[in-house]
Amino acid sequence: MSTSSTSPDPRSASSRAGLAGPAADVGRWFSTAARAGAPAAATPSARSILRMPAWGPVPGAEYGHLSSEAESAAALELLRGPPVTVLTGAGMSTDSGLPDYRGRDAVPRAPMTYQEFMGSDLSRRRYWARSTVGWEQFRTARPNAAHHLLAQLAPEPLDVTAVITQNVDGLHQEAGSDPVIDLHGRLDRVRCQSCDALSSRAGLHARLLQLNPELAARLPDLARDAARAPDGDAEVDRTSTFRYPPCPLCGGILKPDVVFFGESARREVVADAFAALEVSQALLVLGSSLTVQSGLRFVRAARKADKPVVILGDGPTRGDEHATARLHGRLDVLLRRWAGEA
């Protein structure tokens, strides 16, 4: 893999920290609300960067179905008693105001990849500008009924070994679930890509506002416009002049402590998740489209071990063919039925 002579040098502290002079205006290349059928935008250098397709509702899929109470009861019987591992996805947090990527109301967008973030100063300016706006929505999110109901279902009728979540919002912990394995990390933390030091996202947010007073002045209006975009995907008109700080310990690149598209989850976290699945006798999936391998592998592992897999959610998932039982509907409605039967 090669880079052009005009690509920013990732070893340059001023370049990676975004503290040099304004980069070239990239205009609408930074648009995340991709038009259906539109060609992929070119990258700002010759670097070959993995580009994810724009995500949105599954074309042709049917949403809004509700499984019967008899089907709900039968699915619960598959899970009642023996240890159960729970896997959750973005659909778990939509009622907390955190939009998903594949649900019925999802807005098509192309999330930034790890390769893009690490390979381009322009991309990091874009991410942190939008993330600063999106953080206003994210940090005020609170657990919804589904989070609370899941916590209340343990230890009876569900003997939960762990909640493995693909979400990065910390809402399961706030609702009382324990233990929780944050498969994709936590957005309220920041990790240096050089020295691995962890720091607070809240502290970085304050620093970003200090470095970018013009954006800070517009933040309330921008936050309202970004209310339907996941953190980091909020639309900001111009990002080329945005400034972001380096790691205060080593000068390295700071990145949210979350797994970006194109990046692998931390090995020790994946090991903890599989350990939880190994000691369970069933897998319950809540609100995940299972579009990416990161979550789907647990479904496949459970079926390979001949463990029942129960999937709850609205709309299709990539794991439906592996499901022992498939319940359709809003998570709060389905889980409330189970709480009533407990």
Side-chain angles (χ1 to χ4, degrees), residues 241-257:
T241 60
F242 192 85
R243 305 172 73 212
Y244 59 93
C247 172
L249 298 180
C250 73
I253 295 174
L254 293 177
K255 172 183 166 293
D257 189 30

Side-chain angles (χ1 to χ4, degrees), residues 23 103 134 211:
L211 288 171

Side-chain angles (χ1 to χ4, degrees), residues 284-313:
L284 170 62
V285 180
L286 301 174
S288 175
S289 66
L290 300 170
T291 302
V292 295
Q293 181 64 23
S294 179
L296 183 62
R297 58 184 162 180
F298 295 103
V299 172
R300 289 174 170 167
R303 294 305 298 137
K304 185 176 181 179
D306 201 27
K307 298 178 180 182
V309 174
V310 178
I311 301 177
L312 278 63

